[in-house]
Amino acid sequence: MKTLTQSPTGPAFVQDPYPFYAAAREQGQLHHWQDYGMAAAFGHSAVHMLLRDRRFGREVPEEMHKDGAAHLAPFLAVEAHSMLDAEPPRHTRLRRLVLRAFTSREIAALQPGLEDLCHRLIDEFPAAPFDLLDAYCTQVPVIAICRLLGVPEEMAPQLLDWSHRMVAMYQASRSETTEHAAAEAAQAFTDFLRGYIGKRRNDPRDDLITRLIAAEEEGDKLSTDELIGTCILLLNAGHEATVHSLGNGVKTMLQQGWQPDWLAPDGIDGLVEEILRFDPPLHMFTRYAYEEAEVFGHTFRRGDQVALLLAAANRDPSALDRPEVFDPSRPPKVNKSFGGGLHFCVGAPLARLEMQIALPILFGRCPDLRLAAEPEYSNTYHFHGLTRLLVTV
């Protein structure tokens, strides 16, 4: 297995990681990424297999578990109850209970309100150049999550602040300052949700928190800590990913010269899938080996980590014709942006719905939308999103 060196915080890589991915794929499916100190899967076949291979998983092997730093205790307490880092049987139990509350019917019920929200946000666009990320791309998903959870919409700025500080823990540029900020945010978020869940137990409403409280299977329910972990996961993962899916998508459409048929009822699904494939918001997802396993000529030992490069797999020419070309008319057969296997993103239907609503309304209302400055990506790998998206209407 070849060893590759590439700083995930290098300025050129931050702005365009795809040349590094392409060079890695040309040398094979699997390599050792020295900067992360682990094997990394760059090819579609390897990523696809590892997402589904039950010899690998998200949960730290028991013998490798270490107590975290004391200053991170509030953050780690939330992580301990997140199904994102759980494996069966705990993951199976949590996911089934969440899916009983997080149904396609409940997600679809958000559509009329989201359409009205998009129009209201556009009504408030200024005539001068402005940041579309702040004015639109961020507002749609965070308000959608507020409405879904049943949290007052005026809480959105506070939820965003907590979310940003917690999600920064997964970035390559993480520092001790980041850790303290994440711990403080986790504690504040937990305290808020604990009180809010208590209110919902005594005053049930038609919202996700109430349905999560009521969700039950064979006499088993979510504990309060599991409820808190699930709500935080839904906000952090759902908001962060959709903001950058919308931002990256609008950027790509404007640079490519968008076509009206992309946004037509029979074209929007293909557009959303191609946006997610072409420039996704999450580029890396990791797994632990649970037993000795040989994958593409490399032998993993129990406890070894492997990085799955979702964005690299999305552009593998062995799996897709002309993968560097943005083509919303192509069949969406190669898209690893939501992961795969038992950890396939539970919020994928909501993310797709938000994009299917927000993009046609935006370009329908603002057909003369233009970039007002060259977009730049944030130094937030393994997330891939813009610092801002300056536009004029």
Side-chain angles (χ1 to χ4, degrees):
M1 184 166 59
K2 292 182 179 294
T3 295
L4 305 179
T5 301
Q6 172 59 64
S7 169
T9 61
F13 177 84
V14 167
Q15 296 308 313
D16 187 5
Y18 296 104
F20 170 65
Y21 297 159
R25 280 194 313 265
E26 288 177 1
Q27 299 178 70
Q29 292 274 324
L30 197 69
H31 305 294
H32 180 80
W33 192 344
Q34 184 172 322
D35 303 78
Y36 276 101
M38 68 178 75
F42 291 86
H44 180 269
S45 296
V47 169
H48 182 82
M49 190 202 79
L50 286 164
L51 283 169
R52 291 159 176 77
D53 192 329
R54 296 306 307 136
R55 296 175 298 176
F56 296 81
R58 287 285 300 168
E59 198 164 347
V60 181
E62 185 176 355
E63 70 276 13
M64 293 179 62
H65 180 78
K66 297 178 181 178
D67 292 334
H71 70 275
L72 280 174
F75 177 84
L76 296 175
V78 172
E79 293 283 283
H81 296 284
S82 170
M83 66 179 172
L84 183 66
D85 293 321
E87 289 297 315
R90 190 165 67 100
H91 176 273
T92 305
R93 170 184 165 272
L94 290 173
R95 190 175 178 103
R96 281 178 178 170
L97 288 168
V98 169
L99 288 176
R100 289 181 71 87
F102 197 50
T103 65
S104 56
R105 179 177 65 84
E106 304 299 342
I107 292 170
L110 293 170
Q111 181 167 346
L114 288 178
E115 291 172 347
D116 290 343
L117 170 65
C118 290
H119 284 291
R120 177 169 62 80
L121 292 171
I122 292 170
D123 288 341
E124 297 171 359
F125 284 176
F130 66 99
D131 183 1
L132 193 71
L133 285 186
D134 284 342
Y136 194 73
C137 301
T138 296
Q139 301 305 317
V140 173
V142 75
I143 292 176
I145 290 290
C146 284
R147 291 175 177 178
L148 187 69
L149 291 175
V151 174
E153 289 182 25
E154 55 266 28
M155 284 288 299
Q158 180 61 78
L159 296 180
L160 277 174
D161 177 62
W162 289 335
S163 176
H164 287 320
R165 288 195 277 159
M166 293 183 71
V167 169
M169 285 289 288
Y170 308 109
Q171 298 169 5
S173 55
R174 164 181 167 177
S175 66
E176 187 173 339
T177 300
T178 305
E179 295 177 352
H180 284 285
E184 291 170 2
Q187 186 64 64
F189 206 163
T190 297
D191 292 343
F192 165 73
L193 283 173
R194 195 175 298 280
Y196 203 78
I197 288 167
K199 290 180 182 178
R200 281 291 167 267
R201 289 190 192 279
N202 299 318
D203 181 21
R205 302 284 179 90
D206 183 20
D207 56 42
L208 181 60
I209 288 179
T210 299
R211 292 192 293 274
L212 286 170
I213 291 170
E216 184 174 357
E217 187 166 302
E218 298 179 358
D220 190 18
K221 291 189 175 184
L222 291 165
S223 69
T224 299
D225 286 339
E226 289 168 343
L227 272 166
I228 290 169
T230 297
C231 291
I232 291 177
L233 173 62
L234 289 174
L235 173 72
N236 290 358
H239 141 261
E240 197 77 21
T242 309
V243 169
H244 295 308
S245 294
L246 283 170
N248 295 358
V250 171
K251 164 190 172 290
T252 299
M253 291 174 67
L254 292 177
Q255 289 179 333
Q256 297 283 334
W258 64 278
Q259 304 297 317
D261 58 302
W262 294 356
L263 297 155
D266 61 352
I268 186 62
D269 289 354
L271 173 65
V272 168
E273 293 305 304
E274 183 68 348
I275 284 172
L276 291 166
R277 179 200 72 82
F278 188 76
D279 199 20
L282 176 65
H283 279 214
M284 178 194 288
F285 211 45
T286 57
R287 293 284 195 275
Y288 288 95
Y290 291 148
E291 61 185 76
E292 185 173 304
E294 185 171 328
V295 178
F296 289 90
H298 175 69
T299 300
F300 287 91
R301 310 294 180 188
R302 178 174 169 82
D304 287 350
Q305 276 191 284
V306 58
L308 312 186
L309 279 302
L310 308 178
N314 282 351
R315 294 200 185 190
D316 189 340
S318 69
L320 191 72
D321 291 335
R322 303 181 306 144
E324 302 297 329
V325 174
F326 183 75
D327 180 8
S329 68
R330 72 167 81 241
K333 67 175 184 175
V334 176
N335 184 2
K336 293 292 174 282
S337 302
F338 289 119
L342 63 84
H343 283 287
F344 182 81
C345 177
V346 72
L350 177 58
R352 286 183 167 118
L353 177 68
E354 290 169 2
M355 295 177 70
Q356 289 161 2
I357 292 171
L359 289 171
I361 291 176
L362 174 64
F363 283 90
R365 290 282 308 274
C366 306
D368 296 323
L369 189 70
R370 296 286 186 274
L371 291 173
E374 186 67 23
E376 290 188 0
Y377 288 94
S378 300
N379 184 12
T380 54
Y381 196 82
H382 49 83
F383 299 105
H384 188 63
L386 300 169
T387 55
R388 60 180 184 170
L389 183 59
L390 285 180
V391 298
T392 58
V393 293

